[in-house]
Amino acid sequence: MIILGLDPGLGTTGWGVISSEGNRLSHIANGQIKTDPKMQLASRLLKLDLELTDIMLEYRPDAAAVEEVFVNSNPQSTLKLGQARGVVLLGASRSGLEVGEYAARAVKKSVVGVGKADKDQVQAMIKILLPGVKLAGADAADALAVAITHAHLRGAHRGR
């Protein structure tokens, strides 16, 4: 199964593609979609949608996994994050993909074993779980962690 992990954000959306065969995981690709803050909101969301579509067409995932929104202290930031997340969910769903949604704490627990793990711990475990991976950035690492979580939990997720 090919899994596309997504860490949505208006400024930067991280993405990561892995293969899951039984308990064996392997890295396929990862990257970041960046939008220019000087662009209008609608144009930024369109850029996110178009680039995500290109990624899905190139890698042909069987499933997608998206990190859930956390409530930020800044309501405007939370709203923008929610809009980017909506574009990501719509794009994956429009492609007919099974979409799993995971809280950041669940992702950290799945990858590191501790729900309060920091970013360095998550990245270190990704490098162990996906040997030879070259991370395109922190958001791409988070997206790979979401994909790994989906690979680990998809049996339980299907039962919902």
Side-chain angles (χ1 to χ4, degrees):
M1 173 177 267
I2 305 296
I3 302 168
L4 171 62
L6 296 158
D7 179 29
L10 184 58
T12 305
T13 290
W15 61 272
V17 182
I18 64 169
S19 172
S20 172
E21 295 178 39
N23 289 335
R24 188 167 169 259
L25 301 176
S26 57
H27 173 259
I28 296 174
N30 72 89
Q32 299 180 127
I33 301 169
K34 294 184 180 281
T35 66
D36 184 347
K38 294 175 187 158
M39 292 170 63
Q40 290 186 338
L41 175 62
S43 297
R44 294 175 79 184
L45 294 172
L46 177 61
K47 181 179 192 309
L48 175 57
D49 180 59
L50 293 172
E51 290 197 31
L52 179 60
T53 299
D54 288 346
I55 291 163
M56 288 188 290
L57 288 171
E58 181 174 353
Y59 297 104
R60 303 276 183 204
D62 301 301
V66 180
E67 189 167 277
E68 289 180 348
V69 171
F70 64 92
V71 177
N72 196 309
S73 58
N74 179 338
Q76 278 297 96
S77 295
T78 302
L79 184 60
K80 287 177 182 176
L81 174 60
Q83 290 169 323
R85 190 169 178 277
V87 166
V88 164
L89 288 170
L90 175 63
S93 183
R94 181 177 52 218
S95 295
L97 299 179
E98 161 196 329
V99 181
E101 298 177 57
Y102 301 96
R105 182 175 284 237
V107 171
K108 292 174 182 178
K109 185 164 180 56
S110 175
V111 174
V112 179
V114 179
K116 292 184 178 183
D118 64 33
K119 285 193 177 284
D120 290 338
Q121 290 173 302
V122 172
Q123 289 180 19
M125 279 305 295
I126 288 169
K127 290 175 182 176
I128 291 168
L129 294 169
L130 302 172
V133 68
K134 301 248 185 299
L135 298 173
D139 296 295
D142 290 348
L144 285 169
V146 174
I148 291 167
T149 299
H150 190 71
H152 289 165
L153 301 178
R154 73 175 185 256
H157 180 76
R158 249 187 262 132
R160 285 185 191 169

